[in-house]
Amino acid sequence: DLTAAEAVSAFVSEEELTDCILASDDAALVSAMRQVCTRVQGLWDARGRTDAPLEIRDAANRSEAKIVLVDAGWTAGKPVRWLQERLMTVWCEAETEEEIYAAAVSGANGIFTADPDLAYDLLTSFDEGSLLRFPMVVGHRGMYNEKQNTLAAAQEAFRAGADAVECDIYLSADGRIVLLHDQTLDNTTTGSGDVEQMTWAEISQYEVDYGGGGENRPIALLDDLFTEFKGTDLVYFVEIKSSRPEIVPALKALIERTGVSGQVVVISFLADQLARVHEQMPELSVGLLTNTAQGFNAEEVNQAVAPFNATFHPSYEFLTSDQIRQLAARGLTVWPWTYPNGGAYDAAWQNGVYGITTDYADRSADRIVRLETADFTVGGRDSDAVPLTATAVTQKGERFKVRCDYMQISGDMILLQTAEGKYYAGRGSAVILLKYRVETDDVMYTVWSEPVTVSAETADSHGGCGGTLSGSLPAAVILIAFAFFGKNALFLNRNRPD
């Protein structure tokens, strides 16, 4: 209640605590504590709520909470990823073994559990090199093969599977929000002059001539970008380059007029601009850009971003894995930039960095990032055996069937494998995770499905005992086999795929 929140806030302030998280299931109380303790993190406990992801984002950000705690039911589908793409940190409650596995493969940033020993034990059952959360790919000013900060460049990045497109904005003299990297036209367009001293009519007579591609492209307005991708799954990473305070209310008006609030993230090197965004559009997520991460420890990063509930966006060259781990434990995600087309990109992608801002959004376009499947049934005899398959989904959205292995996480079924690598079972059911190993010249990793239930066909479908585990084998052979393997048989261990 409010009395407790005031007492906690006073204690944290008096003791000058910075390495802590203030949490409540009442968003107003989180906000009240964070207004007093501006240099610590907030967590909104949203367990049990049925709000849409956009409503969750809005409420959490307005309450000054960067961390959202959701219940186990949230791990199915894409809501966890949806929030993460809007710079939210998602922790999932999980108590049972199946819930812990589901939270892990959902890519949740954290698992909230009363049994951490069990959670650690279950997590070790995943193959080494497993990717449970895939990096968000952010197209830096679009993509390399087109003129930067143009509609054409954004379209190219979107086709390559970018989750977001980053763009730089300035405010023209007559209040239009223009996409340009520099404040002057000189370096990236066919014109010259200070964009913020010119009207849109004056600016629009020139073209962008900087970047890849052949022909020059029209200078774009942020309106154009919003209109082009409204209603898609693309997120706009809008970087405020302008120092003019007027650009923030202009941005707010444009977002409201075009109705794209759910697709917008605002980033900037200018802390005062982020503070204005946080004040005028408190529902939006914001990120603080910095040219370096060198020398930053978790406390320093926290004190830099917590006042406006921001995430951390450093230059990738100076970022270390230890920094990422320290910040992750405190509910802070890291979004480094700008990765080149090479090994540094692959290493960051394979190590599950939260977001990769790059000119080369197509580098990971063909990599599998998701396995889609549904509950299914297997036959009761080896002649009815089926392969375990799933639909593999690539970063750019292509779909195709792949043949999978599995890990059983619960149930009384024993899946039996034929010489051809197909599976059958005579009785029962089980919950399993399908897995697929990806090996290319650049990366090697294992991708996992959500939990799926596999059931055996009923005995009736094969007449009497024909559909049972024993099939046509003599009962004595089955008894001997179980007596020999006993409870230590690998295929009876539900936490192992063997």
Side-chain angles (χ1 to χ4, degrees), residues 160-434:
D163 300 291
V165 167
E166 181 264 357
C167 62
D168 309 300
I169 63 170
Y170 290 93
L171 192 65
S172 71
D174 55 345
R176 305 300 296 274
I177 300 179
V178 184
L179 303 190
L180 279 175
H181 183 263
D182 300 336
Q183 187 168 331
T184 66
L185 297 172
D186 302 56
N187 293 328
T188 61
T189 79
T190 56
S192 63
D194 186 333
V195 135
E196 300 203 311
Q197 302 299 317
M198 302 167 68
T199 65
W200 171 239
E202 293 170 327
I203 296 166
S204 61
Q205 64 183 306
Y206 303 110
E207 294 180 315
V208 179
D209 62 358
Y210 185 83
E215 60 187 283
N216 295 340
R217 299 295 186 182
I219 298 173
L221 292 169
L222 189 56
D223 308 51
D224 303 325
L225 191 67
F226 283 175
T227 301
E228 176 70 12
F229 299 103
K230 179 181 178 180
T232 70
D233 57 2
L234 187 76
V235 179
Y236 310 106
F237 271 38
V238 179
E239 181 182 346
I240 298 180
K241 283 288 188 70
S242 172
S243 59
R244 292 177 62 187
E246 300 89 344
I247 198 170
V248 175
L251 177 60
K252 176 178 166 59
L254 178 59
I255 290 172
E256 290 175 348
R257 178 169 61 79
T258 54
V260 295
S261 172
Q263 293 177 249
V264 177
V265 163
V266 178
I267 59 177
S268 185
F269 286 94
L270 307 172
D272 55 347
Q273 292 289 52
L274 292 182
R276 292 186 183 101
V277 172
H278 188 50
E279 179 183 0
Q280 298 177 39
M281 293 176 278
E283 71 280 0
L284 292 188
S285 294
V286 299
L288 178 65
L289 290 160
T290 175
N291 282 313
T292 181
Q294 198 165 21
F296 278 61
N297 60 34
E299 182 177 4
E300 290 167 333
V301 172
N302 194 57
Q303 294 200 25
V305 301
F308 24 86
N309 201 34
T311 45
F312 187 48
H313 301 242
S315 176
Y316 85 94
E317 296 101 326
F318 305 102
L319 189 66
T320 68
S321 296
D322 188 54
Q323 285 173 311
I324 294 175
R325 281 192 295 270
Q326 287 183 25
L327 293 169
R330 291 155 177 83
L332 278 170
T333 54
V334 183
W335 302 78
W337 56 272
T338 298
Y339 283 96
N341 188 27
Y345 181 112
D346 297 334
W349 193 91
Q350 190 165 273
N351 287 329
V353 168
Y354 297 99
I356 292 179
T357 297
T358 179
D359 296 324
Y360 301 92
D362 59 342
R363 185 167 183 85
S364 54
D366 296 319
R367 294 175 187 170
I368 296 172
V369 296
R370 193 166 68 253
L371 294 180
E372 293 181 346
T373 188
D375 296 347
F376 63 97
T377 302
V378 296
R381 297 173 176 171
D382 57 358
S383 58
D384 302 318
V386 295
L388 301 184
T389 62
T391 299
V393 184
T394 66
Q395 177 70 38
K396 67 180 179 183
E398 290 185 344
R399 286 172 161 77
F400 51 90
K401 289 288 185 182
V402 293
R403 195 160 172 167
C404 302
D405 292 321
Y406 78 100
M407 175 167 68
Q408 186 166 333
I409 62 178
S410 67
D412 59 356
M413 171 184 285
I414 299 172
L415 280 172
L416 301 176
Q417 189 176 27
T418 68
E420 294 78 25
K422 298 179 180 180
Y423 291 90
Y424 66 102
R427 60 179 174 79
S429 64
V431 177
I432 66 173
L433 303 175
L434 296 181

Side-chain angles (χ1 to χ4, degrees), residues 109 155 159:
N109 302 89
Q155 291 165 337
R159 278 192 286 268

Side-chain angles (χ1 to χ4, degrees), residues 36-78:
V36 176
C37 309
T38 59
R39 299 194 179 276
V40 301
Q41 290 298 319
L43 179 151
W44 180 41
D45 182 352
R47 287 176 295 173
R49 304 187 68 93
T50 58
D51 310 57
L54 178 58
E55 295 171 319
I56 294 288
R57 183 210 67 171
D58 290 356
N61 277 333
R62 288 189 181 116
S63 73
E64 305 281 337
K66 185 47 57 188
I67 310 165
V68 177
L69 175 60
V70 297
D71 55 37
W74 260 69
T75 58
K78 302 178 183 178

